[in-house]
């Protein structure tokens, strides 16, 4: 049986700030050696050359070493997934997951949060966008589920991944070995890596059958409702964090999920929060959350037909500002309006993650007794 999970969200005050993380440890909320995952947003451009992810990663791993007994090498094994780009009102932040001792956690037989982690086999540049990547990711998802103590895929509500994208260097490496790559456009490879990874998650959870190479990025009817995939230059494997619920583990927290059907679908966000276990009015407002919402995690994607809610938009035709930044800003604003908190995890490039033009939503809520641990926005 896995151990109970404590999960907290902290603000990032500047690009190399990890003071909120350190304070959680100093205040005894979590132990550094029990941290199992960190998922956060940094304030860079969200592109191939977004080095704010690396800066934040270093800052958080330094805290793991300074406040615990892990060596620097051991700290590197903790999954820390950064999504770059806080366009619009999105606020830089990190969500920290840590185990707690079973005898200190609230006891309940109700489903409660559990987390598992795994790394895939090495992903070569020629794998990205092809079924070799799908298979390697699917295997890693299965391993992460086992670590989380989850047998039924229906109990998985959120799978966060980080995978490699293509760079000029890795493209040259593939060619030097006589291999081909799916694309030589490095920025396009971000969408490609994310989409192919999502198909691997969908296969692992039984949402779809194994796709063909031709399906990748083309058959948008194939998707996962729980995948949240990011990519970067930091690694050459798939880093997989599975978040779900299991009975008997105890603790305060529970996760639920849904999908947004398009960029304005607030109901999709509210449904995920309800599915996590909060009792809400028929037409809820962020003041109804009462600090019970820890965080929401969303992926977003511009609709391939150039429409939102039945109206034409020009994001795909804009040569000044890439659609990645526009849709992220839009969905970030919609999400913050729902939650009352701009520190929401909204990530772009959602091919095969939720329906076309929409995306998956996961919500973690605090169902524990006593003072809730979520954010309470100012009311004036």
């Amino acid at each position: 049986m896995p151990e109970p999970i404590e999960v907290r969200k902290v603000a990032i005050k500047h690009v190399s700030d990890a003071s909120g993380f350190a304070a959680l440890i100093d205040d005894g909320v979590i132990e550094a050696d029990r941290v199992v995952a960190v998922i956060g947003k940094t304030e860079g451009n969200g592109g191939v050359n977004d080095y704010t992810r690396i800066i934040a990663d270093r800052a958080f791993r330094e805290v793991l070493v300074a406040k615990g007994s892990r060596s620097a090498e051991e700290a590197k094994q903790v999954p820390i997934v950064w999504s770059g780009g806080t366009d619009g009102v999105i606020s830089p932040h990190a969500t920290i997951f840590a185990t707690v001792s079973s005898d200190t956690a609230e006891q309940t037989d109700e489903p409660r949060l559990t987390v598992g982690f795994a790394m895939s086999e090495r992903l070569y540049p020629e794998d990205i966008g092809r079924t070799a990547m799908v298979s390697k990711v699917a295997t890693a998802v299965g391993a992460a589920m086992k670590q989380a103590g989850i047998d039924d895929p229906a109990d998985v509500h959120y799978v966060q991944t980080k995978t490699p994208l293509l760079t000029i260097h890795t493209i040259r490496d593939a060619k030097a070995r006589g291999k081909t790559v799916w694309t030589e456009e490095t920025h396009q490879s971000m969408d490609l890596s994310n989409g192919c990874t999502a198909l691997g998650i969908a296969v692992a959870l039984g949402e779809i059958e194994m796709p063909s190479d031709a399906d990748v990025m083309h058959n948008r009817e194939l998707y996962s409702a729980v995948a949240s995939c990011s990519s970067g230059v930091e690694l050459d494997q798939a880093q997989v964090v599975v978040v779900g619920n299991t009975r008997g583990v105890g603790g305060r927290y529970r996760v639920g999920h849904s999908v947004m059907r398009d960029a304005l679908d607030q109901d999709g966000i509210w449904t995920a929060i309800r599915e996590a276990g909060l009792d809400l009015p028929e037409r809820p407002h962020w003041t109804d959350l009462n600090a019970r919402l820890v965080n929401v995690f969303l992926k977003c994607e511009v609709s391939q037909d150039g429409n939102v809610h039945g109206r034409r938009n020009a994001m795909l035709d804009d040569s000044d500002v890439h659609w990645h930044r526009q849709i992220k800003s839009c969905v970030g604003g919609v999400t913050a309006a729902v939650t009352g908190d701009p520190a929401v995890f909204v990530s772009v490039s959602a091919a095969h993650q939720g329906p076309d033009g929409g995306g998956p939503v996961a919500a973690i809520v605090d169902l524990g007794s006593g003072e809730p641990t979520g954010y309470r926005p100012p009311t004036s």
Side-chain angles (χ1 to χ4, degrees):
M1 177 66 69
E3 291 185 293
I5 297 292
E6 183 67 36
V7 54
R8 297 294 182 98
K9 180 167 63 179
V10 298
I12 296 178
K13 300 174 184 177
H14 55 77
V15 69
S16 60
D17 174 49
S19 62
F21 181 30
L24 286 177
I25 299 167
D26 292 342
D27 294 343
V29 177
I30 60 173
E31 297 177 29
D33 290 343
R34 284 182 168 273
V35 173
V36 294
V38 177
I39 299 171
K41 290 292 299 181
T42 67
E43 60 204 77
N45 62 23
V48 175
N49 65 334
D50 182 353
Y51 299 112
T52 65
R53 297 184 297 236
I54 297 173
I55 295 169
D57 193 82
R58 179 179 297 172
F60 272 66
R61 293 189 194 279
E62 286 174 352
V63 170
L64 285 176
V65 174
K67 301 288 185 180
S69 63
R70 289 180 170 117
S71 66
E73 194 59 36
E74 289 169 333
K76 288 181 181 178
Q77 305 310 308
V78 177
I80 301 183
V81 179
W82 297 107
S83 170
T86 50
D87 303 78
V89 299
I90 300 172
S91 184
H93 68 279
T95 305
I96 296 103
F97 300 80
T99 61
V100 295
S101 174
S102 297
D103 56 10
T104 63
E106 289 192 23
Q107 302 302 307
T108 177
D109 289 328
E110 291 298 308
R112 287 296 183 265
L113 191 71
T114 182
V115 177
F117 164 70
M119 296 289 283
S120 76
E121 295 178 46
R122 181 181 176 187
L123 291 167
Y124 294 93
E126 59 267 26
D127 293 340
I128 296 173
R130 293 165 175 159
T131 52
M133 184 178 193
V134 174
S135 296
K136 290 178 181 180
V137 169
T139 299
V141 171
M145 285 177 60
K146 184 176 181 180
Q147 189 186 77
I150 297 175
D151 298 319
D152 187 350
D155 291 327
V156 175
H157 295 276
Y158 174 40
V159 182
Q160 180 65 57
T161 63
K162 191 77 175 185
T163 51
L165 46 69
L166 292 170
T167 66
I168 295 300
H169 173 75
T170 58
I171 292 169
R172 286 174 177 168
D173 170 69
K175 288 183 174 181
R177 292 182 289 105
K179 305 295 184 180
T180 62
V181 292
W182 198 94
T183 180
E184 295 190 23
E185 295 289 336
T186 57
H187 196 270
Q188 182 189 37
S189 77
M190 179 183 298
D191 298 337
L192 175 66
S193 181
N194 292 356
C196 193
T197 301
L199 291 174
I201 295 167
V203 167
L205 300 181
E207 295 175 285
I208 64 170
E209 299 295 327
M210 175 62 78
S212 67
D213 283 347
D215 288 322
V216 179
M217 301 301 290
H218 296 298
N219 185 355
R220 297 300 180 100
E221 292 184 2
L222 301 179
Y223 66 82
S224 171
V226 299
S228 176
C229 305
S230 293
S231 52
V233 298
E234 309 97 300
L235 70 176
D236 62 3
Q237 296 169 277
Q239 184 173 265
V240 178
V241 180
V242 165
V243 181
N245 298 313
T246 190
R247 292 183 181 272
V249 68
R252 302 176 61 92
Y253 304 97
R254 184 169 169 175
V255 60
H257 81 274
S258 184
V259 295
M260 292 179 75
R261 293 294 167 184
D262 62 31
L264 301 180
D265 182 16
Q266 294 188 30
D267 287 343
I269 304 171
W270 285 118
T271 299
I273 296 171
R274 283 193 174 95
E275 288 293 315
L278 283 194
D279 186 17
L280 295 168
E282 183 179 354
R283 294 183 63 82
H285 183 260
W286 63 260
T287 53
D288 297 312
L289 295 171
N290 294 319
R292 290 287 177 185
L293 179 65
V294 178
N295 207 1
V296 287
F297 305 84
L298 299 88
K299 292 294 291 189
C300 57
E301 179 85 352
V302 67
S303 177
Q304 297 296 296
D305 65 5
N307 289 291
V308 174
H309 234 62
R311 293 286 196 181
R312 184 179 75 89
N313 72 81
M315 281 184 281
L316 288 173
D317 292 323
D318 194 330
S319 298
D320 296 314
V321 181
H322 195 275
W323 67 262
H324 273 195
R325 311 204 71 161
Q326 296 191 48
I327 194 69
K328 191 191 310 176
S329 180
C330 168
V331 175
V334 170
T335 306
V338 168
T339 65
D341 182 2
V344 288
F345 186 92
V346 176
S347 176
V348 75
S349 187
H352 301 299
Q353 298 152 77
D356 182 42
V361 188
I364 296 176
V365 302
D366 179 355
L367 299 177
S369 60
E371 188 67 20
T373 58
Y375 180 68
R376 200 180 290 277
T379 55
S380 60

